[in-house]
Amino acid sequence: MISRTYKVLPGVGIQIRHKGLFNLNKLYSDMKKWFKDNGYYFSEKEQGIKDREKGREIKQKWEASREIDDYARFIIKVNFFFEDLNKVDHMDKGYVKITFFADVLLDYKEKWQTNGLYKFLFFVYNNYIIYHKIKEVYDVKLKQEVDGLHNLTKERLGLIK
């Protein structure tokens, strides 16, 4: 059954793990540029920095959204975890774990959430009338977009050329 938040990626998201050299500033700036170039409204939701014995630990959460039409909004969330982060010759060295989540928020203007009858009609609309549009248009398009961001991230980490 399709609910208001339709998860495009599995509940645990998709992850990139890497230990080595990378340019953190370039990673951040290119990912932010990707969101802007693809029409997303971007915000940083959380940030925590701790200095540890072996290096800096950084935790960040980003969220970006974009309206697709009057009914659907794409939401991409990115969680960053950096551990043992140190500067080495103008680069950053450490352990990286980046997790991507992607959802389609249906009825983001909440027109169908006002009473029981409308909620029932919302259920029927999503699960019978536009079911194929959700699965074959929204789902496919958002997966393609997340794949693009995922590949850009891997490139900036030096995992693919």
Side-chain angles (χ1 to χ4, degrees), residues 24 28 44 46-52 55-61 80-82 85:
L24 183 58
Y28 279 167
E44 292 183 24
E46 289 181 35
Q47 180 173 5
I49 301 173
K50 296 178 183 173
D51 288 322
R52 303 278 191 200
R56 185 166 273 183
E57 178 183 289
I58 300 173
K59 293 180 183 179
Q60 277 192 318
K61 292 185 179 183
F80 298 90
F81 176 72
F82 300 95
L85 198 58

Side-chain angles (χ1 to χ4, degrees), residues 4-157:
R4 192 153 175 255
T5 302
Y6 174 77
K7 297 205 171 293
V8 172
L9 298 178
V12 294
I14 56 173
Q15 288 186 348
I16 298 172
R17 293 172 188 249
H18 173 65
K19 188 172 185 176
L21 287 171
F22 56 94
N23 185 327
L24 183 58
N25 290 332
K26 179 83 170 143
L27 173 68
Y28 279 167
S29 65
D30 287 355
M31 289 178 76
K32 287 178 184 179
K33 183 180 181 313
W34 183 94
F35 282 121
K36 183 180 178 190
D37 291 348
N38 285 279
Y40 281 84
Y41 170 78
F42 165 84
S43 65
E44 292 183 24
K45 293 296 186 182
E46 289 181 35
Q47 180 173 5
I49 301 173
K50 296 178 183 173
D51 288 322
R52 303 278 191 200
E53 257 184 53
K54 293 183 178 181
R56 185 166 273 183
E57 178 183 289
I58 300 173
K59 293 180 183 179
Q60 277 192 318
K61 292 185 179 183
W62 289 1
E63 185 173 306
S65 64
R66 142 173 118 93
E67 295 175 5
I68 302 307
D69 52 35
D70 284 343
Y71 190 69
R73 175 183 285 161
F74 286 176
I75 299 171
I76 298 174
K77 296 177 183 175
V78 184
N79 294 350
F80 298 90
F81 176 72
F82 300 95
E83 190 174 49
D84 302 335
L85 198 58
N86 293 290
K87 285 284 186 192
V88 177
D89 296 327
H90 306 293
M91 295 289 283
D92 300 281
K93 182 180 181 181
Y95 171 76
V96 181
K97 180 172 83 171
I98 303 172
T99 309
F100 299 84
F101 302 92
D103 301 324
V104 179
L105 180 61
L106 302 168
D107 186 32
Y108 67 91
K109 294 181 180 180
E110 298 186 358
K111 292 181 179 181
W112 296 73
Q113 307 305 313
T114 56
N115 64 44
L117 175 61
Y118 282 178
K119 287 180 183 179
F120 172 73
L121 293 174
F122 170 81
F123 173 84
V124 171
Y125 185 66
N126 288 336
N127 289 285
Y128 298 100
I129 297 171
I130 67 163
Y131 179 83
H132 291 289
K133 182 177 183 179
I134 293 169
K135 293 282 196 182
E136 296 169 11
V137 177
Y138 297 149
D139 185 280
V140 170
K141 177 69 176 152
L142 184 51
K143 278 181 184 170
Q144 288 172 345
E145 291 185 8
V146 172
D147 282 347
L149 180 61
H150 188 257
N151 287 334
L152 171 77
T153 305
K154 290 193 306 189
E155 283 176 22
R156 295 307 172 262
L157 292 171

